[in-house]
Amino acid sequence: MKQIKQQAGFTLIELIMVIVILGVLSAFALPRFADLGGEARTASLQGLAGSLKAASNIAHAKWLVGGSTGTKVVLEGATDVTLINGYPIADVAGIDAAAQIDAAFVASGGGATETSARVYTLQTDCKVTYTAAAANKVPTIAVVSSGC
C-alpha cells in the first residue's frame, strides 16, 4: 500500500497572497495611526516665519535704496507697504501687504506703533507673531509650535 506524503509547508502562491494582503492592510491602517498633521502645521509656521522675514527685509532694502526716507515703499510695482523705522508695520497695510499672506492663517492684532504685534494663527497654540521694528532695531518674528 502506498503512503500519501503530507504537505510540509506553504506554497509560493499562499505566501505571496499573505504578503499582498498585509501590504494592503498596512496601506490603509498606517495613515490612521501616524499623525503627520502636526509636522505639516509646524512646517507651515516655519514657512510663514521665513516669508515674513524675507518680505520685511525686501521692504527695508527698498527703503534704503530710496534714500532711507518716507513711510511707504512700492513692492512688485503695485503694492504699497507702510513702514515704521524702515520696516513694515504690523498690520494689513504693512507686513500683510509685503508678504502677501495666504488666507490659511487667521491674522489678528497689529498697528502702526513700534510695539504693535500681528499674530498669525493656524490653531490655538500654533502661531507666528510679527512685532514691528523699534528704532534702530529689526522686527522680531516668534514661532510658537508647541500646540500644533
Side-chain angles (χ1 to χ4, degrees):
M1 188 165 182
K2 205 175 188 184
Q3 290 185 347
I4 299 176
K5 193 173 185 183
Q6 292 289 338
Q7 183 178 356
F10 297 105
T11 65
L12 184 60
I13 291 292
E14 290 171 333
L15 291 174
I16 289 174
M17 289 306 295
V18 168
I19 291 171
V20 168
I21 290 170
L22 288 175
V24 170
L25 287 175
S26 67
F28 285 104
L30 182 63
R32 296 192 187 275
F33 294 111
D35 180 25
L36 303 177
E39 291 176 11
R41 286 186 289 277
T42 300
S44 293
L45 286 180
Q46 295 296 337
L48 176 62
S51 295
L52 294 174
K53 186 169 186 151
S56 175
N57 287 334
I58 289 169
H60 183 67
K62 180 84 179 212
W63 179 74
L64 290 172
V65 167
S68 302
T69 60
T71 59
K72 288 193 180 215
V73 294
V74 177
L75 297 180
E76 304 216 354
T79 306
D80 281 341
V81 177
T82 306
L83 307 173
I84 187 167
N85 297 319
Y87 289 95
I89 61 174
D91 72 0
V92 175
I95 193 63
D96 284 6
Q100 300 175 354
I101 302 299
D102 189 335
F105 294 94
V106 177
S108 61
T113 66
E114 295 177 350
T115 58
S116 297
R118 188 111 169 115
V119 179
Y120 301 93
T121 307
L122 196 55
Q123 285 189 332
T124 306
D125 292 329
C126 196
K127 57 190 168 190
V128 176
T129 304
Y130 173 89
T131 305
N136 299 319
K137 301 211 182 235
V138 297
T140 58
I141 299 168
V143 177
V144 176
S145 61
S146 60
C148 290

